[in-house]
Amino acid sequence: MFLLSSKIGFRGHLGVVWGTFIVRIKTISRYKGMLFMDILMPILFAAMPILLGQALAGSISAASANFEQNTGLIGANYVAYIIIGANVFSTVTTSLWLFGFFIRREQTLGTLESLFMTPAHQIAILAGLTLYVEVRSIITFTAGYFFGCLLFNINPLQGQSGLAFGILLIGLIPIYGLSFLLGALILKVKQANSLLNTFQWFLGIIMGVFFPITVLPVFFQICAYVFPGFWLNYSIQAALMDLKWFFFNMYGHLAIIFAFALICPLIGYWIFAKAEARSKSGEGIGQF
Amino acid sequence: MVSNAIIEVVNLTKKYHSKKRLGLFRTQKNVVHALKGVTFKVEHGEIFGLLGPNGAGKTTLIKILTTLLFPTKGTAKVNGYSLEQDKEIKSSIGAMLMGERGLYWKLTGKENLEYFGALYHVPKRLRRDRIQSLINLLELDNIADRTVETYSSGQKMKMVFARALINNAPILMLDEPTNTLDVKEARRLRKIVKEQNEDYNKTIIFCTHLMHEAEELCHRVGIIDHGQIIALDNPSELMNNLQENDILSIEGHIPEKTIQILQDLPGIISANILTKRVNNGSTEEKPYLNVVCRDSHQALPEIITTLNNHGAIIRNIDKKETTLEDVFVNITGRSLMEDTRQEKSKT
């Protein structure tokens, strides 16, 4: 007989993290087209402004020179800049979609209530989900970046690749924090598609995907500074293209990313827990 | 008297706001009183039935006891834990809610059980054996390795039931577990529920709107209606209380207008048109006139005369055995089956 125990040890929580990760991996393995789409989308997304630049300036080198001159980013190859930006944007929005959509999908399937009926801690479930999103993001970012660079004849290993990889690993953590926040909003308003769609294109502008945020009006620049996605994107662009660091130096950027990585998940989870409690006081978290 | 209660519910009340749509943009806020001061105890090792029509508050009650919902007022203890101790309560319960929903469609049945086993912290070395024994118990071996999306409703229901048993909890909360199961499978599931109670001494809350299930399985039954427990006792006591009266079942063509006239006759307690299953194993139902009276021998001639005078065509008259349905009708003046059907047609 299984003995009832409410005292769950570290191994028990680890089992939940691992179980959630494996379930997600198994599920995505049964939707093979999604991984293919994740890799292809940022390349297609980047191709449009790259080809537009070429069409306007006459050639890629002329477009690149214009880009350098108009943005002040000395040494920036606009093709590489856009490919990196598109891949980071795709990774960030995928992370937001995965969490936000996760909540909504589980709600409609009825599995959200099933999860909440188990004694598993939400943090362990979210950690398993985060691990899956991180692995998926890194695979699709790396594949998308390399294919994009090869397609547009750019050396993918220029600059500090290791540093860029490290920034990606840490810089995605605050994005997950924001996605918990988005999850809380979806529990409340139950409109994942419209919320996420609106949010992601606004983020696209303030992240500086195709252009540095210095070209934006002041209000949008301020929005960008408080959004971790901007720091993630620009830091990877700076590391891979040896651009001038925006805030002092590399360490300044790393400090900001670390600070976001500490604060955002805490705030996100806190707000999510509040939304959960509010739902339980009403019709319940499974009501859709 | 020393109480051996494993579940104690005291004055549980649940209110929430819901929106009523009035055309395209206008909405109206309504307060729904899902539970109105529900109080009861479930003894250790008991099968406690919650019998009531759809929308009576059964699921809300179970959701509160599984800590999925907070009550507006009142308290409850499950396995000695108060509702704030949600992790401990969740570890004590195996629950089946929301019918066939709550499974991952892109995973196989076995993978679902494996995952929920992990979520319930069932040690890995035990998990595999437990899953296999559940697959054998519920005869799921030919579907366990197929993805859930390929299952029929009944198969999903059985898999959800297996999920409720995965943590071998001392308490089972089963909300309409035989919904969507065919007659044979429903009977088999009820047998397993009984075995879980008799062989493993599990305490079970069994919600149903089917009176025969409650009669067959439950040691005690709480009849719930409009968020209130309106009767609570063992099924035989509930029925015995009614047995001082006689119940007549009259089949045939009965005009609506005769019901009020019958109710006004001396010695008649109630007269209602109810429905019952056609006795050939099908799901077809036929209406009949249910008359509760003090003494059927005395009242019958008057009943027959009244019916004949008002154009009724009588095909058959039976003196009925009392059922929980009669108990429900006697208390509420409505039929359980009728209520459930109306609720279903609304949704």
Side-chain angles (χ1 to χ4, degrees):
Chain A
M1 279 278 286
F2 167 62
L3 291 172
L4 176 68
S5 166
S6 57
K7 297 273 175 287
I8 308 303
F10 181 69
R11 279 175 73 92
H13 293 306
L14 211 61
V16 174
V17 175
W18 184 246
T20 306
F21 173 71
I22 291 296
V23 159
R24 295 288 134 196
I25 294 287
K26 279 179 180 165
T27 307
I28 192 73
S29 74
R30 285 155 205 180
Y31 289 107
K32 294 179 183 70
M34 283 189 88
L35 274 180
F36 182 68
M37 185 189 82
D38 276 3
I39 296 168
L40 201 64
M41 281 300 278
I43 300 172
L44 296 174
F45 186 49
M48 288 183 275
I50 291 171
L51 296 174
L52 177 68
Q54 184 184 359
L56 289 172
S59 68
I60 288 212
S61 55
S64 224
N66 283 349
F67 185 76
E68 259 187 78
Q69 192 185 349
N70 294 330
T71 61
L73 289 175
I74 308 303
N77 176 324
Y78 95 107
V79 176
Y81 187 95
I82 289 172
I83 288 173
I84 297 166
N87 273 288
V88 176
F89 173 71
S90 173
T91 307
V92 167
T93 54
T94 304
S95 303
L96 293 175
W97 267 100
L98 281 174
F99 277 102
F101 210 59
F102 163 81
I103 299 281
R104 191 73 189 124
R105 195 181 48 213
E106 301 273 322
Q107 222 174 21
T108 49
L109 273 179
T111 41
L112 193 64
E113 282 195 339
S114 303
L115 291 178
F116 273 80
M117 271 196 305
T118 70
H121 204 292
Q122 280 108 307
I123 290 184
I125 296 172
L126 286 173
L129 193 60
T130 305
L131 183 65
Y132 156 71
V133 179
E134 182 105 27
V135 168
R136 179 173 163 177
S137 297
I138 286 165
I139 292 172
T140 52
F141 177 88
T142 311
Y145 173 64
F146 270 80
F147 285 138
C149 285
L150 292 176
L151 199 67
F152 288 100
N153 210 16
I154 303 236
N155 174 16
L157 296 173
Q158 60 184 309
Q160 304 173 73
S161 313
L163 175 64
F165 189 72
I167 291 169
L168 180 68
L169 277 181
I170 308 295
L172 281 173
I173 294 169
I175 304 298
Y176 302 142
L178 286 179
S179 67
F180 298 160
L181 208 138
L182 207 63
L185 204 60
I186 285 163
L187 267 186
K188 171 88 183 121
V189 299
K190 301 177 172 100
Q191 294 195 40
N193 283 339
S194 42
L195 255 178
L196 286 162
N197 263 318
T198 314
F199 197 51
Q200 75 174 15
W201 295 115
F202 179 69
L203 294 187
I205 291 176
I206 62 167
M207 267 176 68
V209 176
F210 298 144
F211 40 78
I213 60 156
T214 46
V215 303
L216 293 172
V218 179
F219 171 75
F220 285 98
Q221 287 188 39
I222 294 167
C223 290
Y225 297 146
V226 294
F227 176 58
F230 156 71
W231 296 96
L232 170 68
N233 184 35
Y234 188 82
S235 303
I236 292 177
Q237 284 169 330
L240 285 175
M241 298 169 67
D242 288 328
L243 298 179
K244 183 176 176 289
W245 294 91
F246 198 82
F247 184 70
F248 294 120
N249 51 27
M250 176 187 83
Y251 297 107
H253 274 234
L254 287 177
I256 288 173
I257 289 171
F258 269 111
F260 274 127
L262 280 175
I263 295 165
C264 289
L266 288 177
I267 294 176
Y269 184 73
W270 182 71
I271 292 174
F272 183 80
K274 288 264 170 207
E276 180 203 329
R278 210 185 143 90
S279 293
K280 282 183 173 182
S281 296
E283 287 181 89
I285 40 129
Q287 202 62 35
F288 58 94
Chain B
M1 205 174 99
V2 179
S3 169
N4 190 23
I6 194 166
I7 297 168
E8 292 181 71
V9 175
V10 181
N11 197 26
L12 220 53
T13 302
K14 178 71 182 174
K15 286 183 206 170
Y16 58 83
H17 294 277
S18 84
K19 272 183 191 165
K20 193 175 172 187
R21 299 270 169 203
L22 305 167
L24 269 181
F25 302 109
R26 281 177 58 224
T27 56
Q28 187 184 31
K29 258 192 178 179
N30 283 341
V31 180
V32 178
H33 291 251
L35 292 178
K36 298 169 188 164
V38 171
T39 300
F40 66 92
K41 281 181 184 177
V42 179
E43 301 294 317
H44 184 80
E46 186 180 30
I47 303 183
F48 183 85
L50 272 174
L51 179 69
N54 290 342
K58 303 186 296 283
T59 304
T60 305
L61 182 55
I62 294 292
K63 282 187 175 180
I64 291 175
L65 294 179
T66 51
T67 74
L68 283 176
L69 282 179
F70 294 148
T72 312
K73 224 168 70 184
T75 56
K77 276 193 168 184
V78 178
N79 202 21
Y81 300 109
S82 65
L83 292 177
E84 290 75 38
Q85 295 168 285
D86 64 329
K87 293 279 180 283
E88 287 80 0
I89 288 182
K90 286 167 180 173
S91 296
S92 313
I93 295 174
M96 185 178 179
L97 275 171
M98 308 159 292
E100 64 193 65
R101 294 173 73 236
L103 291 170
Y104 289 94
W105 286 37
K106 276 288 172 186
L107 298 183
T108 66
K110 214 182 242 179
E111 286 166 345
N112 267 286
L113 294 179
E114 182 74 35
Y115 181 44
F116 281 98
L119 293 175
Y120 277 103
H121 305 291
V122 179
K124 208 168 183 179
R125 62 183 187 282
L126 282 180
R127 215 181 296 158
R128 206 151 286 174
D129 291 345
R130 174 107 24 100
I131 290 169
Q132 197 49 53
S133 69
L134 288 174
I135 287 170
N136 295 340
L137 178 72
L138 290 158
E139 296 174 348
L140 296 167
D141 27 345
N142 55 344
I143 58 162
D145 289 316
R146 273 169 33 198
T147 50
V148 170
E149 62 193 343
T150 64
Y151 289 9
S152 68
S153 289
Q155 288 168 332
K156 281 182 210 150
M157 205 69 178
K158 280 166 75 179
M159 194 53 81
V160 173
F161 184 61
R163 195 195 65 196
L165 299 178
I166 191 74
N167 58 336
N168 199 13
I171 301 169
L172 283 176
M173 294 198 185
L174 308 173
D175 187 15
E176 312 255 7
T178 55
N179 262 3
T180 76
L181 292 183
D182 60 36
V183 176
K184 188 178 145 225
E185 290 294 344
R187 196 177 299 141
R188 187 168 156 64
L189 190 131
R190 285 196 295 274
K191 187 171 166 271
I192 295 169
V193 169
K194 209 161 191 164
E195 283 168 5
Q196 290 291 315
N197 172 254
E198 287 170 357
D199 301 347
Y200 303 103
N201 201 28
K202 292 192 179 186
T203 306
I204 298 167
I205 292 191
F206 193 96
C207 296
T208 183
H209 65 270
L210 303 171
M211 55 184 173
H212 69 92
E213 285 195 332
E215 280 175 27
E216 180 188 331
L217 278 177
C218 302
H219 300 124
R220 282 194 308 143
V221 174
I223 299 181
I224 187 167
D225 187 39
H226 295 309
Q228 284 175 305
I229 301 263
I230 52 173
L232 198 162
D233 213 326
N234 62 54
S236 54
E237 274 305 311
L238 285 171
M239 291 183 288
N240 281 344
N241 289 341
L242 261 194
Q243 235 135 36
E244 55 195 52
N245 299 316
D246 288 340
I247 302 171
L248 296 171
S249 158
I250 303 171
E251 291 172 30
H253 171 72
I254 315 288
E256 285 274 323
K257 61 181 179 189
T258 54
I259 294 164
Q260 188 56 49
I261 299 165
L262 282 176
Q263 278 171 349
D264 294 339
L265 291 178
I268 304 291
I269 294 164
S270 69
N272 303 83
I273 296 285
L274 305 179
T275 54
K276 62 180 171 186
R277 290 247 162 105
V278 176
N279 205 9
N280 59 4
S282 76
T283 53
E284 197 188 327
E285 288 169 354
K286 60 177 177 186
Y288 70 97
L289 176 63
N290 190 75
V291 182
V292 181
C293 52
R294 286 203 183 91
D295 183 345
S296 57
H297 290 287
Q298 263 187 0
L300 194 56
E302 188 72 22
I303 293 171
I304 293 171
T305 312
T306 309
L307 287 173
N308 281 336
N309 289 346
H310 291 86
I313 302 165
I314 300 170
R315 289 205 189 89
N316 188 31
I317 301 179
D318 274 328
K319 194 173 165 191
K320 259 177 61 182
E321 288 290 315
T322 313
T323 64
L324 286 178
E325 170 83 0
D326 301 315
V327 177
F328 187 82
V329 172
N330 190 49
I331 299 171
T332 64
R334 306 186 324 272
S335 154
L336 189 58
M337 299 271 274
E338 205 54 50
D339 261 29
T340 300
R341 216 181 355 261
Q342 276 173 13
E343 198 60 42
K344 275 184 179 164
S345 67
K346 263 192 242 169
T347 54

